[in-house]
């Protein structure tokens, strides 16, 4: 909820397999139009309340601190959407993960992310196929010197 983020969320040792191949019969929000995903503040949270989301894996919005450790997601059929979208996340950390390589653009989209830190993260072969910073407020996350097995943005 805008102005009331969920705090201190940690997902550890999670594996999820998605079917992929998004249905054009369901309203679809591309990652370029994330602002069109409705907030629906007065509705009870249900898995189907937004239709098909702009990513096939994890869509996290309005989170104070989020940490994903050993989270593995796979997609059975080609899907042009990113695997992860992090929107309005104050602090994000990804640990010990293999990021999927996709058929479309970058697999991780950041918009309005305050800090982004990684450790033991395997990116697809090219960073441009892995990461996209969508919004200018996130662009302050510039590469910083880090240990050999660690990337900070």
């Amino acid at each position: 909820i805008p102005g009331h983020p969920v705090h201190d969320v940690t997902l550890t040792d999670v594996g999820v397999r998605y079917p992929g191949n998004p249905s054009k019969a369901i309203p679809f929000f591309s990652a370029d139009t994330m602002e069109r995903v409705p907030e629906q503040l007065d509705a009870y949270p249900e898995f189907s309340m937004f239709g098909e989301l702009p990513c096939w894996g994890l869509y996290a919005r309005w989170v104070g601190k989020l940490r994903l450790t050993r989270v593995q997601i796979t997609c059975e059929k080609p899907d042009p959407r990113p695997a992860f979208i992090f929107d309005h996340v104050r602090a994000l950390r990804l640990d010990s993960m293999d990021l999927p390589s996709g058929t479309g653009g970058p697999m991780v989209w950041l918009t309005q992310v305050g800090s982004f830190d990684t450790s033991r993260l395997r990116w697809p072969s090219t960073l441009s196929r892995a990461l996209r910073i969508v919004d200018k407020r996130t662009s302050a996350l510039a590469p910083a010197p880090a240990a050999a097995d660690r990337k900070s943005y």
Side-chain angles (χ1 to χ4, degrees), residues 93-97 117-121 149-151:
R93 181 166 176 83
L94 305 178
D95 282 324
S96 304
M97 293 173 53
D117 190 41
T118 67
S119 177
R120 295 176 303 280
L121 191 67
D149 69 336
R150 180 178 161 118
K151 292 183 183 179

Side-chain angles (χ1 to χ4, degrees), residues 11 19-20 30 32 36 47 52 54 61 64 80 82 94 107 124 130 149-150:
L11 299 175
S30 72
D32 288 326
R36 289 183 27 210
F47 74 94
E52 199 160 65
R61 180 165 62 179
L94 305 178
M107 288 290 95
D149 69 336
R150 180 178 161 118

Side-chain angles (χ1 to χ4, degrees), residues 1 9-10 30 32-34 36 46 53-54 64 69 82 86 90 107 110 112 118 120 127 149 152-153:
I1 297 176
V9 176
T10 300
S30 72
D32 288 326
T33 59
M34 286 185 286
R36 289 183 27 210
E46 293 284 344
L53 289 170
T69 302
F86 302 103
R90 195 169 297 139
M107 288 290 95
L110 305 177
Q112 298 189 41
T118 67
R120 295 176 303 280
L127 191 58
D149 69 336
S152 296
Y153 295 91

Side-chain angles (χ1 to χ4, degrees), residues 127-138:
L127 191 58
S128 66
R129 299 267 308 148
L131 178 65
R132 179 166 179 192
I133 298 173
V134 177
D135 142 51
K136 291 180 182 176
R137 284 169 280 196
T138 306

Side-chain angles (χ1 to χ4, degrees), residues 2-55:
H4 303 282
V6 176
H7 292 282
D8 298 322
V9 176
T10 300
L11 299 175
T12 303
D13 296 322
V14 175
V16 181
R17 188 172 60 205
Y18 293 92
N21 196 23
S23 169
K24 297 302 176 197
I26 300 172
F28 175 74
F29 300 102
S30 72
D32 288 326
T33 59
M34 286 185 286
E35 68 279 354
R36 289 183 27 210
V37 177
E39 296 289 346
Q40 297 200 29
L41 302 177
D42 296 328
Y44 183 80
E46 293 284 344
F47 74 94
S48 62
M49 69 190 301
F50 303 110
E52 199 160 65
L53 289 170
C55 68

